Amino acid sequence: MSTPPAERLLYEGKAKQVYAADAPDQVVIHYKDDATAFNGVKKASIADKGVINCRISAFFMDKVAALGIPTAFIRQTAPRDQLCHRVEIIPVEVVVRNVVAGSLAKRLGQPEGQRLARPLVEHFYKSDALNDPQINEEGAVLMGYAHGWELVAMREYSLSVNDMLLAFWGDLGVDLVDFKLEFGRLGGRVVLADEITPDGSRLWERGTGRKLDKDVFRRDLGDLSETYRELYRRVFGESI
Ligand code: TMP
C-alpha cells in the first residue's frame, strides 16, 4: 500500500502527516524526516528519521498490544506509513520519568541524572499555542480535557509501558530516562495513540551516559541521523 494522495491529507504535524484511509474509521499516519525542537523554533530534515521512527514505533506498539493495552495502531503498510484507527486525541500528554532530566531538572533547579525512587508521572496540556503547559489530573478533569476514569487508565497504561520499555532498552544497554505518551478515545475506551520513538523519549547509553535520542538535535550534540541509525541497529540487529 502506498502513501495516500495529497487530497487525503487531514492534518500535518511537526513530524507526521495524517491521511484519510479507505475505511472512514481509519487513518494512515505518515512519518516525515522533519525534526523540530522548542515548539518548532528549531527545524531540520534528518535523513531516514521517518523510516526509522515508523518501524520503531510499530515495533513498540505491537509490544504494548501484547501487554493487553489497546492501541490505535493496526499495522505498518509502507516504510513510513502506518494504518491506525481514527481516534479523538485526548489533549493531555503523559510523561513518565525514571531519572531527573529535561524540563523537570530545569523547573526544580536540579542537575540531570538523579534516579527517582519510583517512576514519576506528569501531565501536560497539549497546546502548541501555549507550549504544552504542565497540568495536574485535577486540573485536567475540571478544565474538561479528560475524564477522571480516562486519567486513571492513562496512568496505569503508562506505567505498564514504562516497565516494558525499561526492560527492553535495559537489555540493549540503554537506560530509559523518560518518555511521553498520547492517548485517544475509541469506542468508549482509552487507547494508546501517537508514537513511541526516540523523538519522544530520553535514552542514555548505560555506562557512558551518551545520549541516543532527540536531545542530540535539541542540544547540538552530534548527528541525529547517525544516532538513530545506531539505535535502529541495536533494536533490529540490521543496518539502515
Ligand atoms: P521534558 O523533560 O522536556 O518535559 O520532556 C520529557 C519527555 O517528553 C522527553 O522524553 C521528551 C518528550 N517530549 C516530547 O515528546 N515532546 C515534547 O514536545 C517535549 C517538550 C518533550
Side-chain angles (χ1 to χ4, degrees), residues 93 95 97 101-104 107 122 124 132 178-180 199-202 214 218:
E93 302 184 353
V95 169
R97 302 182 186 274
S103 71
L104 175 65
R107 199 187 315 139
E122 293 184 337
F124 295 84
D132 296 351
D178 56 37
F179 61 96
K180 183 262 296 179
D199 272 13
S201 314
R202 285 198 174 86
K214 206 171 94 175
R218 292 190 190 95

Side-chain angles (χ1 to χ4, degrees), residues 139-186:
V141 170
L142 293 173
M143 294 303 293
Y145 301 149
H147 295 291
W149 67 269
E150 292 176 325
L151 293 163
V152 170
M154 288 159 66
R155 173 180 288 268
E156 184 193 320
Y157 292 164
S158 298
L159 289 170
S160 298
V161 171
N162 185 51
D163 288 341
M164 180 274 287
L165 291 175
L166 267 177
F168 179 85
W169 286 119
D171 285 346
L172 296 182
V174 175
D175 286 323
L176 176 67
V177 169
D178 56 37
F179 61 96
K180 183 262 296 179
L181 297 179
E182 295 187 25
F183 293 87
R185 302 183 174 108
L186 178 65

Side-chain angles (χ1 to χ4, degrees), residues 93-119:
E93 302 184 353
V94 180
V95 169
V96 182
R97 302 182 186 274
N98 300 298
V99 175
V100 176
S103 71
L104 175 65
K106 201 165 177 184
R107 199 187 315 139
L108 301 182
Q110 293 289 321
E112 295 191 306
Q114 185 187 334
R115 184 158 285 282
L116 296 161
R118 58 188 170 83

Side-chain angles (χ1 to χ4, degrees), residues 226 228-240:
E226 234 356 276
Y228 279 17
R229 283 173 210 282
E230 179 183 337
L231 267 186
Y232 186 99
R233 280 196 297 276
R234 287 198 195 209
V235 173
F236 299 114
E238 62 188 46
S239 297
I240 178 164

